[in-house]
Amino acid sequence: MDESDDTPKVLLVGPHRGGKTSILKVVFQKLSPHETLFLETTPKLELTSISRNSLVKFKVLDFPGSTVFDDSTDPMLFSKTCVVAFVIDAQEEPYTMALARAKKVIEHAHKINPKISFDILIHKVDGAKFFSDDHKTEIQTTIHSKLTEELQDKVDARITFHCTSIYDHTIFEAFSKIVQKLIPQLPVLEQCLELLITNSRMEKAYLFDVVSKVYIASDPQPVDLQWYELCSDMIDVVIDVSCIYGLAEDGNSIASSIERDAKSSCVIHLNNGTLLYLKEVDRCLALVCILREENFDRQHLLDYNIKVFREAKLFLYYHLTGISVSVANLDIKVHGGPEPLEVGLETWEATERVACAFAAIRAVTSFTRHRALETVISEGLEAVLRPACLLVQSLIQVYEEAVIHEDDGGASEDEEPSSLVASCW
Ligand SMILES: Nc1nc2c(ncn2[C@@H]2O[C@H](COP(=O)(O)OP(=O)(O)OP(=O)(O)O)[C@@H](O)[C@H]2O)c(=O)[nH]1
Ligand SMILES: [Mg+2]
């Protein structure tokens, strides 16, 4: 394990033929469920990196079914892990072996890192045997009580249970919950979505990773699986239609560039008086909202609110515990915090940093809830700060030319210009 790698991780563990690799390939690599029949057993640990944008970035580790976790296991593995997903084959009753292994993994991992979350995927709940929901609930209750019994209340770990199958949406729903545990900004994202739905008279809003169709956040109202299925199917429709009819400016189909595109939108009217509204808000990230038709009368207002949400989301690329916005190599503390927030932003242009700082200002003021006040404050602050930012940028250039290059021919290039610039604020 790389000690310096802080990317959140999901460990897929469990007995042979439980369905670990199938889950990974169906959810993240677009393998059709039927093709998993031809998957071979996993001979060694396989690592898959998922990196769509600044919010959705993690790794999934698929372990062979034979892996034993004990004191000889590299402790680094669990110290850096966020979620352990243990896959149990629901069709392999009475689960004695699987549960004994689950107990071992939970005890061992929890001892090393008590912050780890455990998700038990009661998998393969499909086919005639699992047709009724009652049977699924029954099995979940059985496994829950047996595992609790095995652990004998000795381990105070966070354990969540899901009934899943690769043949329907359940595995995507379960993985959505898992991925959400890897996003530190989730509570604020949920608050933003709640603000969005109340101010825009929406019924529900999901933020989807369009490639895998897992939702990385939704407003705090309970999730209805049927609505989730509809929204996730809508993403397929948009991608398919884009593939066939969409053409990007460079002549390539829009679908082929969907990972870079953040402008797609689509409305689907349902025959029950509601509609689905999809709008891409970032690379690979789409907001899918459910609305009553009568509340879609002022689409421009809705679009404006989504734009504000989009700016708030940009702002969330920074940790909210210690917001430090970097403008042209200059750290401006918006409010004090423990750590600088530069991770992953090394490639940003100065203009992107400035734009992000303004997005942050707009996002913060959008929490005032008072529309008129929000516009006045954010525009006012922006008007005051823009000349200051430009001044800072020009000072950096002047400093480099006058001090570094002319003074000593570049010998002091190591000096940080930010110390000079910081005093200007
Ligand atoms: N009915 C059903 N079969 C599934 C499901 N998921 C996976 N399978 C089947 O289960 C079998 C084993 O799947 P794998 O993904 O190879 O299992 P694994 O846990 O990775 O196995 P190892 O690599 O040996 O540890 C395959 O034939 C899959 O088609 C499911 O949701 N329902
Ligand atoms: Mg496998």
Side-chain angles (χ1 to χ4, degrees), residues 351-365:
T351 47
E352 285 173 310
R353 290 165 191 266
V354 173
C356 187
F358 293 143
I361 290 163
R362 283 191 167 273
V364 169
T365 51

Side-chain angles (χ1 to χ4, degrees), residues 14-23 33-43 62-66 87 91 123-126 164-167:
H16 270 305
R17 310 292 292 159
K20 302 178 290 296
T21 310
S22 309
I23 293 172
H34 296 284
E35 285 176 70
T36 62
L37 289 168
F38 309 107
L39 283 177
E40 308 225 329
T41 191
T42 309
D62 177 16
F63 283 86
S66 53
V87 183
Q91 303 184 2
H123 193 54
K124 306 193 190 176
V125 285
D126 46 49
T164 56
S165 165
I166 51 169
Y167 290 99

Side-chain angles (χ1 to χ4, degrees), residues 60-116:
V60 184
L61 279 69
D62 177 16
F63 283 86
S66 53
T67 314
V68 177
F69 296 97
D70 55 22
D71 291 340
S72 62
T73 314
D74 181 2
M76 214 45 146
L77 183 67
F78 291 114
S79 65
K80 301 270 179 175
T81 296
C82 295
V83 178
V84 171
F86 193 95
V87 183
I88 295 180
D89 185 339
Q91 303 184 2
E92 288 285 318
E93 288 185 73
Y95 320 122
T96 322
M97 286 275 285
L99 285 170
R101 288 185 62 176
K103 175 200 168 201
K104 262 191 152 178
V105 177
I106 294 173
E107 280 180 347
H108 183 70
H110 184 75
K111 198 169 65 187
I112 295 173
N113 179 3
K115 285 191 190 150
I116 292 185

Side-chain angles (χ1 to χ4, degrees), residues 373-387:
L373 216 57
E374 173 197 325
T375 314
V376 170
I377 295 177
S378 59
E379 287 183 359
L381 279 173
E382 190 172 325
V384 173
L385 286 179
R386 189 170 284 278

